[in-house]
Amino acid sequence: MRNRITILEKSLKCLTPLLLGGLLGCEAGGAASTSTAVRGATSSESVVVLGAKLIDGTGGAPIEDSVLVLRGDRIVAVGAATATAIPTGARVVRYSGKTIFPGLLSNHSHVGIVDGLVAGSAQYNRANILRQVQQYEAYGVTTVTALGFNGAIFDGLRAELHSGKTSGADLFGVDRGIGVPGGAPSEAVVPVGADQILRPATAEQAREAVRAMVSRRTDLVKLWIDDFGGTLPKMPPEVSQAAIDEAHRHGLRVAAHIHDLGDAKAAVRAGVDILAHGVRDQVVDGELTNLLKEHATWYVPTLQLDESAFVYADRPAWTTEPFVQRALHPDVRAQFEDPAWRERILAAPATQAARAALAMNLRNLKILHDAGVAIGFGTDSGATPLRIPGVAEHRELVLMVEAGLTPLQAIGIATRDAAAVLRLGDRGTLAPGKLADFVVVDRDPLQAIANTQSIAAVWHRGQCAGCNATYLAR
Ligand SMILES: [Zn+2]
């Protein structure tokens, strides 16, 4: 049977450089046939992915020498090479020595808010959003949740990305989101247009806001209830309660922006389904743990949010590596290289606060994870120029391991659990019937979690996504 198999090893050598912009050393002439190399399975043809160590996302032990059989956009079989039948006539892709894990899913990101260093409603446009979802996909984040601030074009773009006809990460999200009149989310921080946020003042207006979001087919409802350290008015409890009740009446779940322990407890008690940030003002206690478990509330720490506030000014070695640099808009890259900018950031009181918030967030994640609280995966990437789509998600994995989770646990949260947050049964693990969304890396992330960054290829819906693209070479 072996001689009937088409071997594509030679052309595959060039998938990495094609994906990440030629930085990783594609041999001249090595791309035997790009069009062949990037093809996935057609609806009638099988593709067999052979030889990789496979992490299936369930948290179980990896398969050292795996077989993954794809047909169309789906996985039809997965198992050990010794125990899995290879369909006759299938095209074979060899990834010996590499590791495969499911495509990452973000439960908290944003699209169309920033372009380079510029933020505002003008950035909420098709070209900018597509560039961002394509960057997420190229970095192995194959599903993204844009958690609020979405404008009128969101619904159509989401439908295109769901269909798979437009390339990029699959997109889900909150339509506008519900903030506070004169309060969060502050336009000084996220200067979006008036049509990208709803600010009800009364319970009835909150119900109307939810109904308007329902009419635009929102996937979730988002509330900003926080007072940002006492600098802004809080959302009145009767407003948040009305929004939560109305959302639940329509079968929608509610995510809430929180920062402090008190707000987290109040949100869970009021029926919020997803805490969209970690608790960062103090150590969590047994009361919050019990509330989260009793209500089966998801906790999405967004560790990278605070790290992003200072780490590019600190400039550790990883920030200068191609994995990060290729993801940066030239203006953002220039800012990171500007000593005056770095000095200003390092001296700012907000930077010290962000360092403390990250340390507390790490500590609280470990406590809640150990206690059995359901953890989701998100970073708030895309909300500011410092939260780099794709890079942020790989840093979140590193930070989860810094918090004390194992690499296998961190990957399980970013795949299986993140899919469960979105109630998407068709992805998140590598199993028969699931979408063929997976990341191929050169080095084993179970040995060192930062190895998720050694991306050799990203497969999305059974196709090697973005292998011909140049969108990272901006
Ligand atoms: Zn956010």
Side-chain angles (χ1 to χ4, degrees):
M1 190 171 72
R2 282 215 157 244
N3 57 5
R4 274 184 277 160
I5 291 169
T6 313
I7 304 292
L8 291 177
E9 284 168 299
K10 193 176 177 202
S11 45
L12 280 166
K13 278 181 186 160
C14 272
L15 290 187
T16 299
L18 284 165
L19 179 69
L20 290 177
L23 280 161
L24 299 172
C26 182
E27 299 157 38
S33 169
T34 299
S35 60
T36 305
V38 300
R39 272 174 55 211
T42 61
S43 57
S44 59
E45 179 188 48
S46 295
V47 171
V48 178
V49 177
L50 278 186
K53 179 171 183 170
L54 185 141
I55 299 164
D56 70 3
T58 65
I63 301 168
E64 289 298 333
D65 181 9
S66 70
V67 172
L68 190 59
V69 182
L70 320 179
R71 184 180 291 266
D73 62 359
R74 300 281 161 164
I75 294 165
V76 294
V78 58
T82 51
T84 309
I86 296 175
T88 305
R91 291 193 306 114
V92 171
V93 175
R94 286 187 186 277
Y95 285 130
S96 303
K98 300 189 191 300
T99 301
I100 287 176
F101 56 88
L104 306 176
L105 297 93
S106 169
N107 299 138
H108 188 167
S109 293
H110 295 277
V111 296
I113 293 179
V114 295
D115 186 5
L117 295 171
V118 184
S121 57
Q123 279 58 58
Y124 201 88
N125 63 69
R126 178 186 173 84
N128 192 32
I129 293 169
L130 287 180
R131 195 160 51 234
Q132 291 171 352
V133 293
Q134 287 166 1
Q135 179 159 315
Y136 280 113
E137 182 188 63
Y139 276 74
V141 186
T142 47
T143 301
V144 167
T145 311
L147 211 61
F149 303 125
N150 288 301
I153 62 172
F154 179 76
D155 191 28
L157 273 172
R158 178 179 53 181
E160 281 183 45
L161 291 159
H162 283 349
S163 78
K165 287 174 188 152
T166 299
S167 70
D170 199 3
L171 183 63
F172 293 83
V174 169
D175 169 70
R176 271 65 165 162
I178 297 178
V180 183
S186 159
E187 275 143 33
V189 178
V190 186
V192 296
D195 66 337
Q196 289 174 260
I197 183 77
L198 297 157
R199 296 187 185 275
T202 67
E204 187 42 41
Q205 287 173 6
R207 290 182 184 279
E208 281 168 20
V210 170
R211 288 194 289 268
M213 293 171 67
V214 169
S215 75
R216 291 189 291 262
R217 293 181 284 277
T218 192
D219 294 307
L220 295 159
V221 169
K222 163 94 173 270
L223 306 178
W224 281 265
I225 58 177
D226 183 24
D227 64 1
F228 283 72
T231 61
L232 295 169
K234 259 189 190 178
M235 181 174 283
E238 67 274 16
V239 171
S240 52
Q241 194 66 61
I244 293 164
D245 294 346
E246 189 69 14
H248 288 173
R249 214 169 63 77
H250 287 89
L252 288 172
R253 290 174 305 146
V254 179
H257 174 108
I258 58 99
H259 183 282
D260 295 349
L261 180 63
D263 287 340
K265 288 179 184 173
V268 177
R269 281 201 192 92
V272 160
D273 305 279
I274 301 164
L275 296 183
H277 298 288
V279 170
R280 288 160 284 166
D281 66 323
Q282 57 184 296
V283 180
V284 293
D285 56 14
E287 188 180 20
L288 179 68
T289 305
N290 292 337
L291 279 168
L292 288 165
K293 290 173 77 173
E294 275 166 29
H295 291 253
T297 311
W298 289 99
Y299 182 89
V300 182
T302 63
L303 305 166
Q304 219 274 324
L305 181 160
D306 288 302
E307 185 194 58
S308 76
F310 58 82
V311 79
Y312 298 106
D314 281 348
R315 213 167 162 79
W318 64 262
T319 62
T320 62
E321 288 170 6
F323 181 79
V324 174
Q325 292 293 315
R326 296 301 301 184
L328 303 180
H329 185 286
D331 296 347
V332 175
R333 192 181 304 133
Q335 186 182 67
F336 291 172
E337 285 166 9
D338 175 5
W341 176 79
R342 295 210 303 273
E343 208 172 294
R344 194 168 69 248
I345 293 294
L346 293 176
T351 295
Q352 292 316 309
R355 290 187 202 279
L358 173 60
M360 188 61 75
N361 209 357
L362 290 166
R363 186 172 170 187
N364 285 337
L365 168 60
K366 177 65 173 158
I367 293 168
L368 295 172
H369 181 261
D370 285 355
V373 168
I375 309 295
F377 187 72
T379 61
D380 216 352
S381 54
T384 78
L386 302 178
R387 303 194 198 142
I388 316 297
V391 172
E393 283 68 25
H394 289 269
R395 283 301 301 169
E396 187 78 10
L397 290 170
V398 170
L399 292 168
M400 289 172 111
V401 171
E402 265 183 49
L405 279 60
T406 68
L408 199 58
Q409 287 169 341
I411 290 170
I413 287 167
T415 57
R416 171 201 57 203
D417 297 342
V421 173
L422 296 173
R423 294 187 170 161
L424 296 174
D426 63 354
R427 66 196 79 184
T429 61
L430 301 179
K434 303 281 185 183
L435 285 167
D437 295 352
F438 56 92
V439 185
V440 185
V441 290
D442 288 327
R443 297 186 296 280
D444 182 0
L446 301 186
Q447 299 300 314
I449 190 65
N451 288 343
T452 62
Q453 299 166 23
S454 63
I455 296 175
V458 175
W459 287 67
H460 187 192
R461 301 179 191 276
Q463 307 283 325
C464 187
C467 290
N468 278 328
T470 55
Y471 44 78
L472 290 174
R474 47 191 300 169

